[in-house]
Amino acid sequence: MMQMDRRPCLDEFEKLLVRMNTPRVMIDNAACVNATLVMIDSARKDGILLEAVQVLTDLNLLIKKGYVSSDGRWNMDVFHVTNLDGNKLTDNGIIDCIQHSLGTVHSTRFKSIDGMTAIELTGTDRVGLLSEVFAVLSDLKCDVVESKVWTHNGRIASLIFLKDCDSGCPIGDSQKIESIEARLRNVLKGDNDIRSAKTSVSMAITHTERRLHQMMFADRDYERSPIIKTSGKYSPTVSVQNCLEKGYSVLNIQCKDRPKLLFDVVCTLTDMQYVVFHATINTTEDGAYLEFFIRHADGSPISSEAEKHRVTLCLRAAIERRASEGVRLELRKADKPGLLAEVTRTFRENALNVTRAEINTSNGTAVNIFYVTDALGYRVDSKIIESVRERIGSDYLRVKELPSTNHQKGEKEEEQTGGIGGAVLLSLGSLVRRNLYNLGLIKSYS
């Protein structure tokens, strides 16, 4: 009896599986007057919503509206996006990057730390702490290539990427790494943080901002009371209710809109092991309104008032961590050993508290952003800011306004369509809303 070769059939089946599990991405610039529509149609997979939102936010795009719906084993997401100026996307390079990145979003995305050593720090925040951290690293001949620092409720979390100053290579000497960890731990401990100050070499290759959320969450910053004054302008309203007849917990968030807001919320829900089945996102000049229908990974809704309270606290913290208080200062200067230590020492000597920092060095130039308040969390007097700028160099350190989301351009025109492509994508958005309506999760889909 002749034996049939089953390999070609298996190859075709594998190709079919790849096509079925590869997200289909449609991008349309004609559907709305002032936003670009991005639609992702994919097989359902844990974490795919976070990965899609991460792609868009890593490109510094604003998500003005969004509809998320999972029907059985299939997932449909529709996002209305703009650039930071509130305009639709016209750069073909960005559009191509979205198309390619979202089309391969099933491949896990991480930040590469090749050629660098990553150090994680958590502890009690205080005025001058960052200055002491960078002074230690400078003394140990460590070059800070990149770093992000968040503070919230009196706690600090930082991820610092280092190279050896002399060799320009990752720090491979185990004794030197132990010395770095020990000295930084002593700095973080100060006089009153003996137990919770932590330093570690990060072995995982992960997304920096997601890791900062995880570090803050593990440090339980959401349970702590703020030490310094905050204006409260970003304080969110968060509520959790159970929709028992549908088997969901319904999460509502209302707050001031800002870049990367959706990422911060979805990242936290994902890391808390909740699955988003349906969601609507809407932003206006008055604020952001987000609604999520969630369950545990095992399919059950939130079961107790204590759990609802914890979810509320965690999401408030996630939204507040990036909502920096204070004056935004941007340093752009030729990099040199000890530059960060010098700059942050000047901040400390003028009693400036760094609430958030983004450090980046590229092609020999340091581009660093600092958000600073006075020691009590109030806005810094302009005379002090000018004094600090003179010390560091007015041409190098500049006061920058926070980027603002633009919702005033053509709000009423947004739903106007143009061409067949626009009609198709708007009908897909309507299909998502209709699915929510049919499930009884929204009152109308018009």
Side-chain angles (χ1 to χ4, degrees), residues 215-265:
M215 291 162 64
M216 281 286 198
F217 178 75
D219 193 49
R220 305 176 79 90
D221 68 317
Y222 55 89
E223 292 182 342
R224 303 174 187 269
S225 299
I227 295 174
I228 62 175
K229 171 186 165 52
T230 58
S231 68
K233 64 181 179 180
Y234 285 102
S235 295
T237 300
V238 182
S239 66
V240 182
Q241 297 177 326
N242 277 350
C243 180
L244 295 178
E245 64 274 16
K246 300 296 181 180
Y248 293 108
S249 292
V250 184
L251 172 65
N252 282 280
I253 300 172
Q254 181 177 342
C255 63
K256 182 179 176 65
D257 190 29
R258 61 163 175 77
K260 301 190 178 183
L261 173 64
L262 184 60
F263 170 82
D264 293 336
V265 172

Side-chain angles (χ1 to χ4, degrees), residues 88 138 295 372:
K88 61 168 51 178
S138 177
R295 292 173 179 158
V372 298

Side-chain angles (χ1 to χ4, degrees), residues 92-361:
N92 287 331
I94 294 292
I95 293 174
D96 290 343
C97 186
I98 295 172
Q99 188 83 49
H100 173 75
S101 298
L102 291 178
T104 56
V105 79
H106 63 281
S107 301
T108 304
R109 300 178 182 284
F110 296 115
K111 175 181 175 58
S112 172
I113 59 171
D114 291 344
M116 294 183 284
T117 300
I119 301 288
E120 297 181 354
L121 312 175
T122 55
T124 299
D125 187 30
R126 65 177 186 274
V127 175
L129 175 59
L130 212 54
S131 170
E132 296 177 44
V133 167
F134 289 135
V136 165
L137 293 175
S138 177
D139 185 57
L140 292 171
K141 305 298 183 184
C142 297
D143 180 23
V144 179
V145 180
E146 184 177 333
S147 176
K148 289 197 176 180
V149 181
W150 288 0
T151 65
H152 181 248
N153 284 352
R155 306 300 295 172
I156 186 170
S158 178
L159 193 55
I160 305 175
F161 297 91
L162 304 170
K163 287 184 178 180
D164 182 83
C165 278
D166 296 327
S167 67
C169 298
I171 301 168
D173 185 337
S174 60
Q175 289 186 338
K176 183 170 183 177
I177 289 177
E178 289 175 4
S179 177
I180 293 170
E181 288 186 285
R183 288 188 59 180
L184 289 177
R185 194 177 303 115
N186 286 332
V187 167
L188 288 166
K189 284 179 181 178
D191 297 326
N192 59 359
D193 197 7
I194 304 301
R195 294 183 179 178
S196 62
K198 295 179 182 177
T199 65
S200 64
V201 176
S202 177
M203 303 307 295
I205 302 174
T206 188
H207 186 272
T208 302
E209 293 173 343
R210 183 174 184 185
R211 182 63 190 143
L212 285 171
H213 275 301
Q214 292 170 342
M215 291 162 64
M216 281 286 198
F217 178 75
D219 193 49
R220 305 176 79 90
D221 68 317
Y222 55 89
E223 292 182 342
R224 303 174 187 269
S225 299
I227 295 174
I228 62 175
K229 171 186 165 52
T230 58
S231 68
K233 64 181 179 180
Y234 285 102
S235 295
T237 300
V238 182
S239 66
V240 182
Q241 297 177 326
N242 277 350
C243 180
L244 295 178
E245 64 274 16
K246 300 296 181 180
Y248 293 108
S249 292
V250 184
L251 172 65
N252 282 280
I253 300 172
Q254 181 177 342
C255 63
K256 182 179 176 65
D257 190 29
R258 61 163 175 77
K260 301 190 178 183
L261 173 64
L262 184 60
F263 170 82
D264 293 336
V265 172
V266 175
C267 177
T268 300
L269 289 173
T270 302
D271 285 336
M272 292 181 72
Q273 305 298 311
Y274 293 108
V275 179
V276 176
F277 285 85
H278 306 282
T280 57
I281 299 97
N282 188 35
T283 64
T284 69
E285 57 186 296
D286 296 323
Y289 306 86
L290 296 81
E291 184 173 52
F292 299 88
F293 295 83
I294 63 174
R295 292 173 179 158
H296 290 107
D298 65 5
S300 63
I302 292 174
S303 59
S304 68
E305 291 300 318
E307 186 182 358
K308 288 181 183 179
H309 181 63
R310 183 170 180 268
V311 170
T312 298
L313 290 179
C314 290
L315 288 172
R316 283 177 182 166
I319 293 169
E320 291 170 352
R321 287 169 194 149
R322 200 197 296 267
S324 305
E325 301 286 340
V327 178
R328 173 179 163 133
L329 300 176
E330 182 177 301
L331 176 74
R332 185 180 292 268
K333 191 175 184 179
D335 192 31
K336 66 175 183 178
L339 176 62
L340 276 172
E342 291 179 12
V343 171
T344 51
R345 182 176 66 247
T346 302
F347 292 163
R348 182 188 66 197
E349 291 170 349
N350 286 270
L352 299 186
N353 184 54
V354 179
T355 62
R356 184 159 70 95
E358 298 178 13
I359 312 298
N360 188 40
T361 304

Side-chain angles (χ1 to χ4, degrees), residues 25-30 36-38 55-56 59 61 81 88-103:
V25 182
M26 295 177 65
I27 299 176
D28 191 277
N29 250 327
T36 299
L37 264 66
V38 178
V55 167
L56 297 175
L59 291 170
L61 302 179
V81 303
K88 61 168 51 178
L89 311 183
T90 56
D91 186 331
N92 287 331
I94 294 292
I95 293 174
D96 290 343
C97 186
I98 295 172
Q99 188 83 49
H100 173 75
S101 298
L102 291 178

Side-chain angles (χ1 to χ4, degrees), residues 18 20-25 38-58 75 77 79 97-110 210:
V18 170
M20 289 178 63
N21 288 281
T22 299
R24 289 177 289 178
V25 182
V38 178
M39 195 281 287
I40 310 162
D41 197 9
S42 64
R44 178 160 186 81
K45 182 179 81 72
D46 290 344
I48 195 167
L49 174 60
L50 173 59
E51 293 174 6
V53 172
Q54 180 178 305
V55 167
L56 297 175
T57 54
D58 282 351
N75 194 76
D77 304 330
F79 300 107
C97 186
I98 295 172
Q99 188 83 49
H100 173 75
S101 298
L102 291 178
T104 56
V105 79
H106 63 281
S107 301
T108 304
R109 300 178 182 284
F110 296 115
R210 183 174 184 185

Side-chain angles (χ1 to χ4, degrees), residues 388-446:
V388 169
R389 291 185 64 219
E390 287 178 11
R391 284 272 305 276
I392 296 173
S394 299
D395 292 337
Y396 304 122
L397 185 67
R398 300 186 179 183
V399 179
K400 293 288 185 177
E401 295 298 324
L402 291 173
S404 59
T405 55
N406 189 334
H407 297 289
Q408 300 178 359
K409 298 173 63 175
E411 280 287 340
K412 295 182 179 180
E413 299 174 337
E414 183 170 305
E415 297 305 324
Q416 293 183 8
T417 61
I420 296 175
V424 169
L425 273 184
L426 281 182
S427 67
L428 287 170
S430 298
L431 180 60
V432 173
R433 294 192 293 274
R434 181 181 302 171
N435 191 22
L436 296 176
Y437 173 76
N438 290 337
L439 289 168
L441 301 178
I442 59 176
K443 294 180 179 178
S444 69
Y445 61 86
S446 57

